Amino acid sequence: MSALVPLGSASAADQYEWAALGDSYTAGGFVGDPQPPLGDASRDGCDRTSDAYPGVVERELDEFPPGKYVHLTNVSCGNATIADIAKEKQKPISPVQPPADGWPAVDPQIQRAKLSEQTDVVTIGVGGNSLPFGGMLLKCLEQGAVGKSCRDYYTSPPEGEESISDKLARVQDEYIEMLAQVHQAAPNAKVITVGYPAVLPEEAGDCNRLALTELGSITRADVDWLREDVLKPLNSTIQRVTSFFGDHYVDVYSSSVGHDACQPADTKWVEGICGDAADYWPAKLPGTLLNCALVGKRVTLVHPNPEGHANVAAHVERAIRIALLQR
């Protein structure tokens, strides 16, 4: 949670209330300084950072309009699912200085943000973990390493595993329920949903197969499948449900094409399986054999870097300005 002005310097009538909800693509993880700072007693294991897009937008808005501030309440949390936004407690899994007995569960984000009739705008970036996209990515790494296809795995899944079509149908139902609860909690708010960027190349041949700074052992056929049958349909699902509610969808995919995890370091807006991150971020992924220290990097698992968050921030800032002008 942060504010653009010192506490007590602006009354409620002098500011707009903005709540940022979402998963690690909103929280930031390894982009900028941890919020709260390392060692602070209020750390909750959600891995929010200063240079993730909510913080960037907050700084850019400054006063809007002149004399009226936009107060940000950021409760996004790494690994959050759609259910964690509105109805379930979440058990954070941050690998950064966790307590000996693990992080305590946190309340649903609409409760943590204290959404109410006074909330002016709500931004939501969530959905990937409900597939879960990260888990599917690791399965594709695992399958590719032994010459198998994760596309085949999820198209004709083993018993107990959902097919990709079932996953997307479930995500749509969960997103509908979540948005209904957000509107109930903040009946006067403008609601803005944020899609996912182009983390995968439009041409799988752009990837250097086996490079951990890109997509590692994921086969080129699976890269194409993840893009066309998983990521793009996920964004389409979010956009479709958003439109149904009359809310505003922010497309960050189109502007990020050509800046995916398989591009050169000075072009990519998304780090690969391993990538550049601050020193506090781990180089090994607990519970797996992944060790990014072997290539001098840290575990980034295909997440936006500062340039990626700056791009999302530009689109979200524009959407918030329009939303507030309509109030």
Side-chain angles (χ1 to χ4, degrees), residues 74-260:
N74 182 1
V75 295
S76 57
C77 194
N79 207 46
T81 64
I82 296 170
D84 296 328
I85 299 296
K87 68 178 185 178
E88 292 184 4
K89 285 178 174 279
Q90 179 185 353
K91 183 78 171 175
I93 60 171
S94 173
V96 181
Q97 299 181 351
D101 54 352
W103 297 101
V106 295
D107 288 331
Q109 292 186 25
I110 62 172
Q111 293 183 26
R112 299 193 80 194
K114 295 181 172 61
L115 298 191
S116 71
E117 294 180 351
Q118 281 68 53
T119 305
D120 295 291
V121 63
V122 179
T123 57
I124 310 169
V126 76
N129 292 316
S130 293
L131 286 173
F133 187 78
M136 295 176 71
L137 201 71
L138 291 175
K139 175 60 70 175
C140 290
L141 281 168
E142 174 190 300
Q143 296 288 97
V146 294
K148 294 183 179 180
S149 165
C150 68
R151 174 185 55 188
D152 293 344
Y153 179 89
Y154 287 110
T155 302
S156 301
E159 185 176 355
E161 176 68 67
E162 293 175 304
S163 68
I164 184 57
S165 59
D166 288 341
K167 288 176 181 292
L168 288 165
R170 174 177 49 75
V171 164
Q172 176 171 289
D173 290 343
E174 291 176 354
Y175 214 94
I176 289 171
E177 181 180 1
M178 180 269 292
L179 275 188
Q181 291 174 294
V182 168
H183 278 282
Q184 183 176 24
N188 300 319
K190 298 288 186 178
V191 177
I192 298 168
T193 66
V194 183
Y196 289 90
V199 301
L200 306 165
E202 295 299 293
E203 297 291 338
D206 288 352
C207 295
N208 177 9
R209 184 80 198 287
L210 303 181
L212 286 174
T213 53
E214 295 182 11
L215 298 176
S217 58
I218 300 176
T219 68
R220 288 179 176 174
D222 282 344
V223 170
D224 286 334
W225 176 78
L226 283 166
R227 182 190 65 250
E228 295 300 325
D229 289 15
V230 182
L231 182 56
K232 286 184 177 179
L234 173 62
N235 276 337
S236 294
T237 298
I238 295 170
Q239 183 175 19
R240 183 167 57 251
V241 176
T242 301
S243 297
F244 174 79
F245 278 86
D247 296 326
H248 182 77
Y249 172 76
V250 174
D251 169 26
V252 297
Y253 189 100
S254 301
S255 59
S256 57
V257 169
H259 298 280
D260 54 83

Side-chain angles (χ1 to χ4, degrees), residues 256-289:
S256 57
V257 169
H259 298 280
D260 54 83
C262 291
Q263 302 308 315
D266 61 352
T267 303
K268 65 171 60 180
W269 292 351
V270 180
E271 298 299 312
I273 303 299
C274 301
D276 294 328
D279 291 344
Y280 61 80
W281 201 249
K284 297 181 181 180
L285 184 63
T288 74
L289 297 177

Side-chain angles (χ1 to χ4, degrees), residues 3-6 9-10 14-16 18 56-72 317 320-321 324-325:
L4 289 170
V5 293
S9 64
D14 294 329
Q15 64 187 32
Y16 289 113
W18 163 32
V56 176
V57 173
E58 179 193 34
R59 293 190 291 271
E60 288 297 323
L61 285 175
D62 198 5
E63 289 186 11
F64 179 83
K68 192 159 185 176
Y69 293 90
V70 179
H71 175 258
L72 167 63
E317 178 191 350
I320 290 176
R321 286 183 180 275
L324 292 181
L325 284 171

